[in-house]
Amino acid sequence: MSHHIEDLLSEWQAAPKDGWVLAVVTKVQGSAYRKAGAMMLFHPLGKAIGMVSGGCLEEDLKRHAQRAIQYDVVVKVKYDARDESDASYQLGCGGIVELMLFPLTQSNHYLQLHLLTEKLNAGDPVFYELAMTKAGTAADKMSAAVVHVAEADYPLHDFQKAVMLTRAKKERTTQQYLIIPCRPRFHIAIFGGGLDAQPVANIAGQLGWKVTVIDERTSYARSYDFPNARIIKQSSTNLSDSVLCRFDAAIVMQHNLELDSAALKRLSQVPINYIALLGPPHRRDKVLERVQLTEADFHGVLSAPAGLALGGELPESVALSILAQCHGVLHNASQFALEKVML
């Protein structure tokens, strides 16, 4: 299981009335493994789901989670990795991490985690608004809201970072909210169900991404080779826009000029953030020439040759190279293309 918010919610949904505690990173100063908005869940019997650090704070947080459960109140925790007497000193990151632990109860509507689950499962990107309260606040005084990005009334331009927002309330009072962007897991399409596609699907699954493998050929894309992926046995030319528009990225690796050309032609007709084509530059030129396309015809990034220059030639290395680049594009990170060292 990955640590994506959908995986956390899936575990919680199995027994939501068990008296869980939601732990949220509310503020970070300096260096830290996770940033504000990181979440994890604690079960009253000791089970923990997710991570808010590199694994160094979670055991200590269990103790605070039990206190939140026992007294049914908000618990605030602060770890200062600069202080030798602090529990987090051995982390070595040198930062300060502040967290709040919220009991999830029927009285506070489980802080709207049911609605958050519903929206993410439907593919809707949302903001999770968590009202900040004082330590010791009773569970029934806590509140949260789930707001679709299209309906948000605040100018948040960077959807990938949580922010603290102060809003005016009645009688000249204010309320602080931690606004956490939550988007459905990334969804990638792999055009080609050969042996080298298996590590791509496996690594993507470990990242918490949804994977769909598309291959019309009978002896490819067998279900037992891709146990955690959806498989479509259909020609790329027959895929509808409604299917293709669900993908954030696509990797074309069918090792067949005709099939790869058809896939790229179809992918050029829909908005996809990242498209990768396996093979060297001269093969890319042949594929594009067959369907009279140029790199300018694609809505997002076309990586051909696919991936970053990480070295290695085994399928696992190639998969890592492609998914590392794809990850960077989807998260708006800076990187350079493999082609620069291949020419």
Side-chain angles (χ1 to χ4, degrees), residues 194-224:
L195 292 175
D196 58 345
Q198 292 176 35
V200 177
N202 292 337
I203 296 174
Q206 291 178 325
L207 289 170
W209 298 358
K210 291 177 67 175
V211 179
T212 295
V213 180
I214 302 167
D215 200 320
E216 62 184 289
R217 297 171 292 184
T218 305
S219 58
Y220 289 80
R222 294 163 295 199
S223 58
Y224 57 81

Short mmCIF file of all heavy atoms in Angstrom, two decimals, residues 194-224:
data_model
loop_
_atom_site.label_atom_id
_atom_site.label_comp_id
_atom_site.label_asym_id
_atom_site.label_seq_id
_atom_site.Cartn_x
_atom_site.Cartn_y
_atom_site.Cartn_z
N GLY A 194 4.01 -5.69 -22.79
CA GLY A 194 5.12 -6.63 -22.83
C GLY A 194 5.83 -6.76 -21.50
O GLY A 194 5.43 -6.16 -20.50
N LEU A 195 6.92 -7.53 -21.50
CA LEU A 195 7.67 -7.77 -20.27
C LEU A 195 8.22 -6.49 -19.67
O LEU A 195 8.27 -6.32 -18.45
CB LEU A 195 8.81 -8.75 -20.55
CG LEU A 195 8.41 -10.20 -20.88
CD1 LEU A 195 9.64 -11.01 -21.26
CD2 LEU A 195 7.70 -10.84 -19.70
N ASP A 196 8.69 -5.56 -20.53
CA ASP A 196 9.29 -4.34 -20.00
C ASP A 196 8.27 -3.36 -19.45
O ASP A 196 8.62 -2.37 -18.80
CB ASP A 196 10.16 -3.65 -21.06
CG ASP A 196 9.39 -3.30 -22.32
OD1 ASP A 196 8.28 -3.82 -22.51
OD2 ASP A 196 9.92 -2.51 -23.12
N ALA A 197 6.98 -3.62 -19.71
CA ALA A 197 5.93 -2.76 -19.15
C ALA A 197 5.60 -3.14 -17.71
O ALA A 197 5.04 -2.33 -16.96
CB ALA A 197 4.67 -2.84 -20.01
N GLN A 198 5.95 -4.36 -17.32
CA GLN A 198 5.60 -4.82 -15.97
C GLN A 198 6.27 -3.99 -14.87
O GLN A 198 5.59 -3.58 -13.92
CB GLN A 198 5.95 -6.30 -15.82
CG GLN A 198 5.08 -7.21 -16.68
CD GLN A 198 5.48 -8.66 -16.59
OE1 GLN A 198 5.91 -9.14 -15.55
NE2 GLN A 198 5.37 -9.38 -17.69
N PRO A 199 7.59 -3.71 -14.93
CA PRO A 199 8.16 -2.87 -13.88
C PRO A 199 7.62 -1.44 -13.89
O PRO A 199 7.55 -0.80 -12.83
CB PRO A 199 9.67 -2.89 -14.16
CG PRO A 199 9.79 -3.35 -15.58
CD PRO A 199 8.63 -4.25 -15.83
N VAL A 200 7.21 -0.95 -15.03
CA VAL A 200 6.58 0.38 -15.09
C VAL A 200 5.29 0.37 -14.28
O VAL A 200 5.05 1.25 -13.44
CB VAL A 200 6.29 0.80 -16.55
CG1 VAL A 200 5.58 2.16 -16.56
CG2 VAL A 200 7.57 0.87 -17.37
N ALA A 201 4.48 -0.65 -14.51
CA ALA A 201 3.22 -0.77 -13.77
C ALA A 201 3.46 -0.99 -12.28
O ALA A 201 2.76 -0.42 -11.44
CB ALA A 201 2.39 -1.92 -14.35
N ASN A 202 4.46 -1.80 -11.94
CA ASN A 202 4.74 -2.10 -10.53
C ASN A 202 5.21 -0.86 -9.77
O ASN A 202 4.74 -0.58 -8.66
CB ASN A 202 5.78 -3.21 -10.43
CG ASN A 202 5.26 -4.55 -10.92
OD1 ASN A 202 4.05 -4.77 -10.94
ND2 ASN A 202 6.14 -5.43 -11.32
N ILE A 203 6.15 -0.13 -10.35
CA ILE A 203 6.68 1.06 -9.67
C ILE A 203 5.61 2.13 -9.56
O ILE A 203 5.47 2.80 -8.53
CB ILE A 203 7.92 1.59 -10.40
CG1 ILE A 203 9.05 0.56 -10.35
CG2 ILE A 203 8.38 2.91 -9.78
CD1 ILE A 203 10.27 0.93 -11.18
N ALA A 204 4.84 2.31 -10.63
CA ALA A 204 3.75 3.30 -10.60
C ALA A 204 2.75 2.95 -9.50
O ALA A 204 2.24 3.83 -8.81
CB ALA A 204 3.06 3.36 -11.95
N GLY A 205 2.48 1.66 -9.33
CA GLY A 205 1.57 1.24 -8.27
C GLY A 205 2.12 1.55 -6.89
O GLY A 205 1.38 1.96 -5.99
N GLN A 206 3.43 1.38 -6.71
CA GLN A 206 4.05 1.70 -5.43
C GLN A 206 3.99 3.21 -5.15
O GLN A 206 3.99 3.63 -3.99
CB GLN A 206 5.50 1.22 -5.41
CG GLN A 206 5.62 -0.30 -5.38
CD GLN A 206 7.07 -0.76 -5.41
OE1 GLN A 206 7.92 -0.14 -6.05
NE2 GLN A 206 7.35 -1.85 -4.72
N LEU A 207 3.95 4.01 -6.19
CA LEU A 207 3.81 5.46 -6.03
C LEU A 207 2.39 5.86 -5.68
O LEU A 207 2.12 7.02 -5.38
CB LEU A 207 4.23 6.17 -7.32
CG LEU A 207 5.73 6.15 -7.65
CD1 LEU A 207 5.96 6.67 -9.06
CD2 LEU A 207 6.51 6.98 -6.65
N GLY A 208 1.47 4.89 -5.73
CA GLY A 208 0.08 5.19 -5.43
C GLY A 208 -0.70 5.62 -6.66
O GLY A 208 -1.82 6.13 -6.53
N TRP A 209 -0.16 5.43 -7.84
CA TRP A 209 -0.84 5.84 -9.08
C TRP A 209 -1.76 4.73 -9.58
O TRP A 209 -1.52 3.54 -9.34
CB TRP A 209 0.18 6.15 -10.17
CG TRP A 209 1.10 7.29 -9.85
CD1 TRP A 209 1.10 8.07 -8.73
CD2 TRP A 209 2.19 7.76 -10.65
NE1 TRP A 209 2.10 9.00 -8.78
CE2 TRP A 209 2.79 8.84 -9.96
CE3 TRP A 209 2.71 7.39 -11.89
CZ2 TRP A 209 3.88 9.54 -10.46
CZ3 TRP A 209 3.79 8.09 -12.40
CH2 TRP A 209 4.37 9.15 -11.69
N LYS A 210 -2.79 5.12 -10.28
CA LYS A 210 -3.63 4.17 -11.01
C LYS A 210 -2.94 3.84 -12.32
O LYS A 210 -2.33 4.70 -12.95
CB LYS A 210 -5.01 4.77 -11.28
CG LYS A 210 -5.87 4.93 -10.05
CD LYS A 210 -7.20 5.60 -10.38
CE LYS A 210 -8.07 4.71 -11.24
NZ LYS A 210 -9.42 5.33 -11.46
N VAL A 211 -3.07 2.59 -12.75
CA VAL A 211 -2.41 2.15 -13.97
C VAL A 211 -3.41 1.45 -14.88
O VAL A 211 -4.16 0.57 -14.43
CB VAL A 211 -1.24 1.18 -13.66
CG1 VAL A 211 -0.59 0.70 -14.95
CG2 VAL A 211 -0.21 1.86 -12.75
N THR A 212 -3.42 1.84 -16.14
CA THR A 212 -4.20 1.15 -17.16
C THR A 212 -3.26 0.71 -18.27
O THR A 212 -2.47 1.51 -18.79
CB THR A 212 -5.30 2.08 -17.75
OG1 THR A 212 -6.25 2.40 -16.73
CG2 THR A 212 -6.03 1.38 -18.91
N VAL A 213 -3.31 -0.56 -18.62
CA VAL A 213 -2.48 -1.12 -19.69
C VAL A 213 -3.36 -1.34 -20.90
O VAL A 213 -4.41 -1.99 -20.81
CB VAL A 213 -1.81 -2.44 -19.26
CG1 VAL A 213 -0.96 -3.00 -20.39
CG2 VAL A 213 -0.96 -2.23 -18.02
N ILE A 214 -2.94 -0.81 -22.05
CA ILE A 214 -3.73 -0.88 -23.28
C ILE A 214 -2.93 -1.63 -24.34
O ILE A 214 -1.81 -1.22 -24.69
CB ILE A 214 -4.07 0.54 -23.78
CG1 ILE A 214 -4.84 1.32 -22.70
CG2 ILE A 214 -4.88 0.48 -25.07
CD1 ILE A 214 -4.95 2.80 -22.97
N ASP A 215 -3.46 -2.72 -24.83
CA ASP A 215 -2.79 -3.49 -25.87
C ASP A 215 -3.81 -4.41 -26.53
O ASP A 215 -4.42 -5.25 -25.86
CB ASP A 215 -1.64 -4.30 -25.27
CG ASP A 215 -0.62 -4.72 -26.33
OD1 ASP A 215 -1.04 -5.08 -27.45
OD2 ASP A 215 0.59 -4.68 -26.03
N GLU A 216 -3.98 -4.25 -27.81
CA GLU A 216 -4.97 -5.05 -28.54
C GLU A 216 -4.46 -6.44 -28.89
O GLU A 216 -5.24 -7.33 -29.26
CB GLU A 216 -5.37 -4.34 -29.83
CG GLU A 216 -4.22 -4.14 -30.81
CD GLU A 216 -4.62 -3.35 -32.04
OE1 GLU A 216 -5.37 -3.89 -32.87
OE2 GLU A 216 -4.18 -2.18 -32.16
N ARG A 217 -3.18 -6.69 -28.77
CA ARG A 217 -2.59 -7.96 -29.18
C ARG A 217 -2.94 -9.07 -28.18
O ARG A 217 -2.88 -8.87 -26.96
CB ARG A 217 -1.08 -7.82 -29.32
CG ARG A 217 -0.67 -6.83 -30.42
CD ARG A 217 0.81 -6.53 -30.40
NE ARG A 217 1.21 -5.77 -29.22
CZ ARG A 217 2.43 -5.31 -28.99
NH1 ARG A 217 3.40 -5.55 -29.88
NH2 ARG A 217 2.71 -4.63 -27.90
N THR A 218 -3.25 -10.22 -28.70
CA THR A 218 -3.76 -11.33 -27.89
C THR A 218 -2.77 -11.81 -26.84
O THR A 218 -3.14 -12.08 -25.69
CB THR A 218 -4.14 -12.52 -28.81
OG1 THR A 218 -5.06 -12.09 -29.79
CG2 THR A 218 -4.74 -13.65 -27.99
N SER A 219 -1.50 -11.91 -27.19
CA SER A 219 -0.52 -12.50 -26.28
C SER A 219 0.14 -11.48 -25.35
O SER A 219 1.09 -11.81 -24.65
CB SER A 219 0.57 -13.23 -27.08
OG SER A 219 1.19 -12.34 -27.99
N TYR A 220 -0.37 -10.26 -25.36
CA TYR A 220 0.20 -9.21 -24.50
C TYR A 220 -0.83 -8.73 -23.48
O TYR A 220 -2.02 -8.98 -23.62
CB TYR A 220 0.67 -8.02 -25.35
CG TYR A 220 1.89 -8.28 -26.19
CD1 TYR A 220 1.78 -8.97 -27.41
CD2 TYR A 220 3.15 -7.87 -25.80
CE1 TYR A 220 2.89 -9.22 -28.20
CE2 TYR A 220 4.28 -8.12 -26.57
CZ TYR A 220 4.15 -8.79 -27.78
OH TYR A 220 5.24 -9.04 -28.55
N ALA A 221 -0.34 -8.04 -22.46
CA ALA A 221 -1.21 -7.45 -21.43
C ALA A 221 -2.13 -8.49 -20.80
O ALA A 221 -3.35 -8.32 -20.73
CB ALA A 221 -2.04 -6.31 -22.02
N ARG A 222 -1.51 -9.56 -20.32
CA ARG A 222 -2.29 -10.60 -19.64
C ARG A 222 -2.50 -10.20 -18.18
O ARG A 222 -1.62 -9.62 -17.55
CB ARG A 222 -1.56 -11.94 -19.74
CG ARG A 222 -1.49 -12.47 -21.17
CD ARG A 222 -0.46 -13.54 -21.34
NE ARG A 222 0.89 -13.04 -21.11
CZ ARG A 222 1.99 -13.66 -21.54
NH1 ARG A 222 1.88 -14.80 -22.21
NH2 ARG A 222 3.18 -13.17 -21.29
N SER A 223 -3.66 -10.52 -17.68
CA SER A 223 -4.05 -10.04 -16.35
C SER A 223 -3.10 -10.50 -15.25
O SER A 223 -2.84 -9.77 -14.30
CB SER A 223 -5.48 -10.48 -16.03
OG SER A 223 -5.59 -11.89 -16.10
N TYR A 224 -2.55 -11.72 -15.36
CA TYR A 224 -1.67 -12.20 -14.29
C TYR A 224 -0.30 -11.51 -14.32
O TYR A 224 0.46 -11.58 -13.35
CB TYR A 224 -1.52 -13.72 -14.33
CG TYR A 224 -1.00 -14.31 -15.63
CD1 TYR A 224 0.35 -14.32 -15.93
CD2 TYR A 224 -1.88 -14.88 -16.54
CE1 TYR A 224 0.82 -14.87 -17.10
CE2 TYR A 224 -1.43 -15.44 -17.72
CZ TYR A 224 -0.07 -15.43 -18.01
OH TYR A 224 0.38 -15.97 -19.17
#
